[in-house]
Amino acid sequence: MNISSSEVLIPILGNYMNSKEDSTDVIASIYIGNFSKNTNSTIDNINQGEIYHRMCKIQNLYQSIYLSHQREKTMLNLLNVLSEIVSDNDPCGVLHPYHVANISKEIGKALRLDDITLKQIYIAGLLHDIGKLYIDNSILNKEGALTEDEFEIVKKHSVYGANIVKDVFGLDDISVLVKYHHERYDGTGYPNELTGEQIPLGSRILCLADSVDAMLSPRIYKEPRNVEFVIGELLKNRSKQFDAKIVDVMINMLLKANEETTDILSDTIIWSTLTMYTTKTVYSIEGTLGKYDFGYYFKANKFNFSTEINKDEIRTINLYINKNNNMYCYELKSDYYENNTLHISSFDYIPFLDSFNILWNLDGILNLNSLENLDINIYKIGGSRLMFYIDKKQIKEDIIDNILSLEVYFKGKENILLTGKIVNTFKVGNKNHYEFLYINTSDVVIDHLFKNIFSKQMELRRFITKII
């Protein structure tokens, strides 16, 4: 037919998850141009030759990108389901897959693996325990030792997980890493009792990262282990449970854990906490930070931005990321939000200029008044402030504005007394985090504090040297 004055667009139809039936859903359109009534052309002519073939290539490329986005969206939804199940039974375990993914990626970078392999290992880390969706919670959260039959049931989770990754996401290469992440270097692991180099490198990395985070992180049935213990276990199981070269890389990472990481936002999906300060109150919202090719979004775990908050009342939005047991803070701006998703337009990293992270257990006591005090865990410390967390308990708002005293414990040495006030608070998992600003604390006390910290660091290095 002849074309009168009109615009011509070519529709791109979705083909969801490689369905055998063609989809009639239009997911995008390609604009060809405007044809006036004087143009002597027909639709048949447009559909032939070079233009037709180029449009087919564009359509195939767009469908590929679209399907990749849908697969990532499905993966994120499943991760949120798993996180919700875990958080109801063991709030401490919510961060575990994200920690394993982060540690695995850092090990891979130290081994100079290529970017594609790093991404595969990172996604495998996120999904390594997805098979536990099929394991009864009474077994997963059992405080005592598992029976032989219960352990046989738990051992199946790696195969279940591999099947989910392969069948639901279509990620065959990553499913292999998930399947073998409980194999041991000496051949005593499961499901196939592979040995040494028979185990995929990514699975060997996941095995160690999984164990390290399990030791460093608290659980409802145990307290976190200190760095000395973790390094001792790594050395004890070198060339037994773990690949020796990966053990050496991990120990080096632990010793350098106080150095700030420059690419915190490089990962595809990160568990994080969003703190929204409004004119009326403060919201602390847990969820996942996701990365598009063109930006970022935050998907809340249990919060609806459209119904639970007024956009006009928002003053500041901060994002806290716990990566490799270190805490990082960003101030961000949002373009818009819909339901449980906040779309982010910009990030500004908020550095702790005079502070560094503490990896070993640095305990203390916060004196609320003459009759009440709280045990605290200090994880970041500096010349003007420190940061600590409290498990499960929360400091009352009417106390936060007061001048408080805080004692820092150093084993075998005199406690150090600091005075100050809490200037910031947020929640991650079952931990309430606080920023404590020193007030009326002398330089002599600060010097004594850092002297003890550096002494502890030297003790740690001597411990490593002695064992090696």
Side-chain angles (χ1 to χ4, degrees), residues 114-215:
D114 61 81
D115 290 343
I116 293 176
T117 304
L118 289 176
K119 186 172 183 179
Q120 289 178 340
I121 291 173
Y122 183 81
I123 294 175
L126 290 175
L127 300 173
H128 76 283
D129 276 343
I130 200 77
K132 288 184 177 178
L133 288 171
Y134 288 101
I135 309 297
D136 192 274
N137 285 335
S138 63
I139 296 177
L140 292 177
N141 297 314
K142 185 177 179 180
E143 294 190 20
L146 297 177
T147 66
E148 186 174 336
D149 289 341
E150 289 170 337
F151 185 54
E152 288 300 317
I153 293 172
V154 171
K155 283 165 64 175
K156 294 178 181 178
H157 84 273
S158 59
V159 176
Y160 293 154
N163 291 337
I164 292 174
V165 173
K166 182 178 181 180
D167 297 338
V168 177
F169 303 124
L171 303 173
D172 291 9
D173 292 340
I174 294 173
S175 73
V176 174
L177 304 185
V178 172
K179 182 176 181 178
Y180 298 122
H181 79 275
H182 276 293
E183 297 286 1
R184 293 170 57 106
Y185 202 74
D186 60 6
T188 60
Y190 61 85
N192 290 2
E193 297 184 350
L194 302 180
T195 61
E197 302 294 320
Q198 291 179 331
I199 308 168
L201 176 59
S203 298
R204 283 178 267 152
I205 291 173
L206 289 174
C207 176
L208 184 140
D210 189 16
S211 298
V212 167
D213 185 65
M215 288 186 281

Side-chain angles (χ1 to χ4, degrees), residues 278-430:
T278 71
T279 55
K280 296 180 179 179
T281 187
V282 178
Y283 297 90
S284 187
I285 308 161
E286 291 190 288
T288 46
L289 177 69
K291 184 179 181 182
Y292 293 126
D293 290 336
F294 49 85
Y296 296 87
Y297 62 91
F298 177 87
K299 187 168 185 177
N301 193 29
K302 296 180 180 179
F303 191 87
N304 191 315
F305 295 100
S306 300
T307 60
E308 298 186 50
I309 197 166
N310 186 337
K311 186 175 182 180
D312 296 332
E313 295 176 353
I314 298 173
R315 293 189 292 110
T316 307
I317 307 175
N318 286 345
L319 185 79
Y320 294 91
I321 297 174
N322 185 320
K323 186 167 184 177
N324 299 340
N325 290 306
N326 295 331
M327 191 67 66
Y328 302 91
C329 179
Y330 296 83
E331 183 176 345
L332 56 85
K333 298 187 184 301
S334 171
D335 288 331
Y336 67 99
Y337 52 73
E338 52 185 352
N339 298 324
N340 68 333
T341 303
L342 184 83
H343 298 273
I344 299 167
S345 57
S346 67
F347 278 94
D348 286 317
Y349 175 55
I350 303 176
F352 294 87
L353 296 177
D354 63 347
S355 304
F356 58 90
N357 296 301
I358 302 292
L359 192 59
W360 64 84
N361 292 340
L362 185 57
D363 298 323
I365 282 186
L366 183 68
N367 300 305
L368 302 179
N369 51 52
S370 58
L371 300 176
E372 185 180 8
N373 53 57
L374 290 173
D375 293 326
I376 64 173
N377 299 91
I378 301 165
Y379 62 88
K380 188 184 285 286
I381 200 161
S384 63
R385 66 195 66 210
L386 59 79
M387 296 193 73
F388 65 87
Y389 69 82
I390 302 173
D391 281 326
K392 300 177 184 177
K393 295 182 181 180
Q394 188 171 6
I395 300 175
K396 297 177 182 178
E397 289 188 13
D398 59 342
I399 295 178
I400 287 180
D401 291 332
N402 297 343
I403 301 296
L404 306 171
S405 65
L406 185 154
E407 292 182 67
V408 183
Y409 288 167
F410 289 95
K411 188 176 180 180
K413 299 181 180 180
E414 185 180 351
N415 298 342
I416 295 177
L417 182 65
L418 306 170
T419 57
K421 65 181 299 185
I422 294 169
V423 294
N424 192 19
T425 177
F426 57 95
K427 185 177 182 180
V428 178
N430 67 333

Side-chain angles (χ1 to χ4, degrees), residues 383 416-420 436-446:
I416 295 177
L417 182 65
L418 306 170
T419 57
F436 184 84
L437 179 69
Y438 310 147
I439 296 176
N440 298 327
T441 299
S442 69
D443 292 339
V444 174
V445 173
I446 302 299

Side-chain angles (χ1 to χ4, degrees), residues 24-253:
T24 57
D25 293 326
V26 177
I27 58 176
S29 295
I30 301 173
Y31 178 74
I32 298 299
N34 182 284
F35 292 81
S36 68
K37 59 185 178 180
N38 297 324
T39 302
N40 185 19
S41 182
T42 65
I43 290 291
D44 292 336
N45 291 336
I46 292 174
N47 286 339
Q48 295 175 6
E50 186 67 21
I51 293 179
Y52 174 75
H53 292 300
R54 290 191 179 186
M55 290 305 103
C56 286
K57 289 182 179 179
I58 293 173
Q59 181 169 0
N60 290 337
L61 177 61
Y62 193 94
Q63 281 184 333
S64 175
I65 294 172
Y66 179 79
L67 287 172
S68 176
H69 167 68
Q70 290 299 310
R71 187 161 49 235
E72 183 175 303
K73 188 175 180 181
T74 303
M75 180 173 67
L76 184 59
N77 288 338
L78 261 184
L79 280 171
N80 279 341
V81 170
L82 181 62
S83 297
E84 191 166 334
I85 292 172
V86 172
S87 64
D88 289 339
N89 296 282
D90 180 12
C92 303
V94 173
L95 295 174
H96 177 65
Y98 303 92
H99 285 172
V100 172
N102 290 330
I103 294 171
S104 299
K105 184 179 178 181
E106 294 301 317
I107 292 173
K109 288 166 66 176
L111 294 173
R112 299 187 177 182
L113 302 182
D114 61 81
D115 290 343
I116 293 176
T117 304
L118 289 176
K119 186 172 183 179
Q120 289 178 340
I121 291 173
Y122 183 81
I123 294 175
L126 290 175
L127 300 173
H128 76 283
D129 276 343
I130 200 77
K132 288 184 177 178
L133 288 171
Y134 288 101
I135 309 297
D136 192 274
N137 285 335
S138 63
I139 296 177
L140 292 177
N141 297 314
K142 185 177 179 180
E143 294 190 20
L146 297 177
T147 66
E148 186 174 336
D149 289 341
E150 289 170 337
F151 185 54
E152 288 300 317
I153 293 172
V154 171
K155 283 165 64 175
K156 294 178 181 178
H157 84 273
S158 59
V159 176
Y160 293 154
N163 291 337
I164 292 174
V165 173
K166 182 178 181 180
D167 297 338
V168 177
F169 303 124
L171 303 173
D172 291 9
D173 292 340
I174 294 173
S175 73
V176 174
L177 304 185
V178 172
K179 182 176 181 178
Y180 298 122
H181 79 275
H182 276 293
E183 297 286 1
R184 293 170 57 106
Y185 202 74
D186 60 6
T188 60
Y190 61 85
N192 290 2
E193 297 184 350
L194 302 180
T195 61
E197 302 294 320
Q198 291 179 331
I199 308 168
L201 176 59
S203 298
R204 283 178 267 152
I205 291 173
L206 289 174
C207 176
L208 184 140
D210 189 16
S211 298
V212 167
D213 185 65
M215 288 186 281
L216 287 176
S217 301
R219 290 291 186 270
I220 56 174
Y221 51 84
K222 74 169 186 68
E223 292 297 316
R225 299 288 192 171
N226 58 36
V227 176
E228 293 96 326
F229 177 88
V230 173
I231 292 175
E233 287 298 300
L234 293 178
L235 292 171
K236 186 191 304 181
N237 288 282
R238 193 173 183 269
S239 298
K240 295 178 182 178
Q241 181 178 356
F242 309 121
D243 184 333
K245 66 176 178 290
I246 300 176
V247 168
D248 296 341
V249 168
M250 187 71 242
I251 289 176
N252 191 48
M253 285 171 53

